[in-house]
Amino acid sequence: MNRIVLESPDGVPVAVPLSERVHWVGAFDPHLRTFDIILKTANGTSYNAYVVRGSEGVAVIDTVKEGFADVFFARLESVADYAEIKVIVLNHLEPDHTGALPELMRRAPGAQLYISQKAQSMLKGLLKQENLHFTPVVTGDTVSLGDRSLQFLHTPYLHWPDTQCTYLPEEAMLFSGDVFGCHFCDDRLFNDRAGDFRFSFEYYYAHIMRPFKEYVLRALELIEPLPLKLIAPTHGPILRDRPDRYIQRYRQLSSPALHSEISPQQKTLLIFYISSYGNTRRMAEAIYQGALQVDDVRVSLYDLEGGEVAPFVDLIEEADGLILGTPTINGDAVKPIWDLLSSLTVVNLKNKLGGVFGSYGWTGEGVRLVEDRLRGLKLRVPIPGLRVKLIPTDDEILECKAFGLELAQELMGLREAKMINFADLA
Amino acid sequence: MAKATITFEDINITVTVPAGTRVIEVSEKVGSAITYGCREGDCGTCLMKITDGWNNLSEPSVLEDKILRENMAGKHNRLACQAQLLTGHISVKPA
């Protein structure tokens, strides 16, 4: 098998051809171990950038992290003069892809910059320059390079609001930005040559794309009809061997894992609690009993002490409602609750129903703090949290049942319309 | 004092408020799922859909108008942190 040539005989980085007219001009970062605080990588990453040559000019698609600009420019110079560059496309404005942009714009003053509509304010925030010239583009916009052309696909929230993909129809290539990428550093560059990066591909999806499944599915509607010979992401191997498999995998990962047994008119309500002396547990059990009274609500009760966070996150992702029970210790909700809550940023919680309850000894701040957090996570919390001082009385147990009943009714849209005066709001 | 009423459709709660109240002052207290980021009209997080009575809200400021355009918001979308309830009845839900 021919080795991929990454450097000239005298050690200068050179571009790698993907076809006669398309080259990779990226850089490797093999010693990176933590990316963006939230992601681990056991063998670094790559910052992929590409050059497309048409009969009437050259396009540069994405750049690299600032510290790798020298390698990027050396590779770029091996296949194009700066005066030939007519087009610069940024599919995504995160600094690992825009680090070399200011210098590239300085070196190629004749180039026009193309970004998505939503990237405009981010570009200003990143470059801190006034009088920037750029063209915002949407799905369907194209740029001609003569006998090659670039078509833009608006694919927001994969994984920032600004993200887009760029399609080169004459070569059936998709420059996908972070979509279909992974943090995996391998100088064999192509998926049919690189080491086993499947874990990295899945891990990247789980941490970067998973919160935006709905947007992934919308983007796939644009991507799936395209004839594709190759997908060129901004991180990890270039997918030239059966690229359609990676698209199929994204569709699988963005669809529910196991078909739920519930029928379409049913809704799921999860109650998680943790309890030190059994008081919050007794509340949980009563709330569970209350919720069970409503038809078509599939209620489940879980003690956080008896499970690990990851499967609970999976459950919550597909649930319609979430009720959390926490005692208050030293003025706060307890750590297992916060551990669960801090793990929920990888799933979409928008508009799910939320509720909070708990027993307390002194002041009971935990419930209010968790309610605020649920609202911050974009759940709706229409019924004020229920707090009980120490051991619940029989009457308080009845209140818990009513709380569960009311939340279950709310979930099913059965709660009566309510009129409130502004002055009565706490 | 002049009054307006606002219905949060996602939770089916209607609140009577003094004219001039901003939606942000009410929505969190009643538990609507409209969520907030910067709370000062700059980020677009609190985009909401006005399903009824959009003429009963204050006009968008230049700043709000700019953010609405940047977010490609529809004609009846507003920012909950900016829109004031002026008169009559208004119905909203998270965008």
Side-chain angles (χ1 to χ4, degrees):
Chain A
M1 195 182 288
N2 295 334
R3 270 192 71 81
I4 290 166
V5 178
L6 296 165
E7 291 182 351
S8 66
D10 47 357
V12 179
V14 294
V16 177
L18 308 191
S19 75
E20 194 187 322
R21 301 290 198 87
V22 183
H23 284 77
W24 174 84
V25 291
F28 298 113
D29 186 359
H31 302 301
L32 183 84
R33 292 293 172 268
T34 305
F35 187 90
D36 262 7
I37 306 170
I38 58 167
L39 282 173
K40 291 286 176 192
T41 170
N43 72 350
T45 192
S46 56
Y47 310 107
N48 298 330
Y50 303 92
V51 169
V52 177
R53 177 173 289 279
S55 58
E56 293 172 14
V58 165
V60 176
I61 302 177
D62 295 315
T63 76
V64 298
K65 199 171 175 179
E66 193 176 9
F68 297 81
D70 288 349
V71 177
F72 163 74
F73 285 118
R75 290 207 159 98
L76 176 56
E77 287 165 16
S78 74
V79 284
D81 294 331
Y82 291 111
E84 295 178 296
I85 301 173
K86 299 284 186 284
V87 171
I88 300 170
V89 176
L90 293 178
N91 283 325
H92 174 30
L93 265 63
E94 209 171 349
D96 53 326
H97 310 299
T98 52
L101 178 71
E103 179 60 17
L104 177 61
M105 290 175 77
R106 197 188 64 75
R107 293 188 189 194
Q112 177 66 31
L113 178 62
Y114 293 86
I115 58 174
S116 75
Q117 290 272 4
K118 289 203 172 183
Q120 298 175 70
S121 62
M122 289 180 181
L123 186 71
K124 289 170 193 162
L126 276 169
L127 299 188
K128 307 291 183 198
Q129 287 176 21
E130 293 301 320
N131 304 319
L132 278 169
H133 295 289
F134 56 84
T135 304
V137 289
V138 294
T139 301
D141 287 346
T142 60
V143 175
S144 174
L145 299 168
D147 61 358
R148 295 290 182 275
S149 61
L150 302 175
Q151 298 179 354
F152 301 104
L153 282 71
H154 182 51
T155 55
Y157 297 102
L158 303 183
H159 60 116
W160 272 20
D162 66 312
T163 43
Q164 64 175 3
C165 296
T166 302
Y167 182 58
L168 174 58
E170 295 83 2
E171 309 253 5
M173 289 185 186
L174 182 72
F175 303 94
S176 58
D178 280 349
V179 186
F180 308 119
C182 62
H183 291 308
F184 189 86
C185 184
D186 195 318
D187 61 10
R188 290 167 289 185
L189 208 58
F190 297 98
N191 67 323
D192 52 318
R193 292 197 173 188
D196 193 339
F197 65 98
R198 288 176 297 176
F199 161 77
S200 304
F201 185 86
E202 306 264 324
Y203 177 82
Y204 190 87
Y205 177 93
H207 287 80
I208 297 289
M209 301 297 167
R210 183 179 176 184
F212 308 106
K213 285 183 174 180
E214 183 191 332
Y215 290 95
V216 172
L217 292 172
R218 280 191 223 167
L220 292 178
E221 296 295 318
L222 295 176
I223 293 169
E224 284 168 339
L226 301 173
L228 274 182
K229 285 186 193 156
L230 179 150
I231 297 174
T234 44
H235 295 290
I238 295 165
L239 310 170
R240 68 177 178 187
D241 178 44
R242 288 175 284 172
D244 52 306
R245 286 185 311 171
Y246 299 90
I247 297 172
Q248 286 162 15
R249 186 66 184 138
Y250 258 48
R251 185 164 276 283
Q252 281 174 345
L253 290 168
S254 302
S255 306
L258 245 187
H259 188 69
S260 175
E261 294 85 353
I262 65 165
S263 59
Q265 77 270 20
Q266 286 183 307
K267 294 201 170 175
T268 52
L269 180 62
L270 310 179
I271 305 170
F272 291 96
Y273 69 92
I274 189 152
S275 188
S276 47
Y277 289 100
N279 298 324
T280 300
R281 189 190 73 230
R282 278 193 280 281
M283 292 180 74
E285 288 164 353
I287 290 165
Y288 173 72
Q289 292 299 331
L292 282 176
Q293 295 173 48
V294 178
D295 288 342
D296 290 331
V297 177
R298 190 188 200 195
V299 197
S300 308
L301 180 65
Y302 304 98
D303 184 346
L304 274 179
E305 224 182 326
E308 290 178 12
V309 168
F312 287 152
V313 173
D314 292 346
L315 272 172
I316 291 168
E317 183 177 26
E318 296 196 10
D320 300 297
L322 168 65
I323 307 178
L324 296 176
T326 177
T328 298
I329 297 182
N330 292 341
D332 200 356
V334 294
K335 189 169 181 294
I337 289 282
W338 290 123
D339 286 345
L340 178 68
L341 288 167
S342 67
S343 305
L344 293 176
T345 51
V346 297
V347 297
N348 181 14
L349 301 167
K350 196 172 179 183
N351 290 340
K352 289 186 196 293
L353 175 70
V356 189
F357 64 94
S359 160
Y360 67 97
W362 308 341
T363 43
E365 295 90 338
V367 169
R368 298 283 177 267
L369 290 168
V370 174
E371 279 185 291
D372 283 347
R373 181 67 190 131
L374 290 185
R375 289 197 182 100
L377 288 167
K378 301 183 181 174
L379 284 92
R380 57 197 173 95
V381 186
I383 300 170
L386 186 61
R387 302 185 303 166
V388 166
K389 188 157 176 109
L390 293 168
I391 300 169
T393 63
D394 289 348
D395 282 348
E396 284 166 337
I397 288 294
L398 289 176
E399 272 181 57
C400 290
K401 283 185 180 166
F403 182 71
L405 174 67
E406 203 178 1
L407 277 164
Q409 286 172 332
E410 169 66 34
L411 190 66
M412 298 307 293
L414 300 172
R415 218 163 137 240
E416 282 181 17
K418 215 167 161 183
M419 297 287 294
I420 302 176
N421 207 309
F422 187 62
D424 297 332
L425 288 172
Chain B
M1 191 193 294
K3 301 272 187 191
T5 56
I6 176 166
T7 299
F8 296 93
E9 290 191 356
D10 60 329
I11 51 174
N12 206 8
I13 288 179
T14 302
V15 187
T16 307
V17 300
T21 303
R22 287 177 196 266
V23 177
I24 187 175
E25 297 174 65
V26 196
S27 76
E28 286 184 304
K29 286 180 179 165
V30 296
S32 168
I34 298 169
T35 51
Y36 296 90
C38 70
R39 295 168 183 270
E40 51 190 32
D42 204 29
C43 73
T45 305
C46 63
L47 200 68
M48 61 177 177
K49 188 167 176 58
I50 316 299
T51 53
D52 187 35
W54 61 283
N55 277 327
N56 295 335
L57 292 167
S58 57
E59 288 285 314
S61 64
V62 174
L63 171 69
E64 185 184 348
D65 202 45
K66 174 173 168 282
I67 299 299
L68 289 171
R69 274 189 282 114
E70 277 181 11
N71 283 280
M72 288 176 269
K75 189 182 170 193
H76 292 168
N77 284 3
R78 293 290 303 271
L79 299 182
C81 72
Q82 297 295 301
Q84 290 179 311
L85 306 156
L86 296 184
T87 183
H89 180 253
I90 299 105
S91 283
V92 303
K93 61 182 184 184

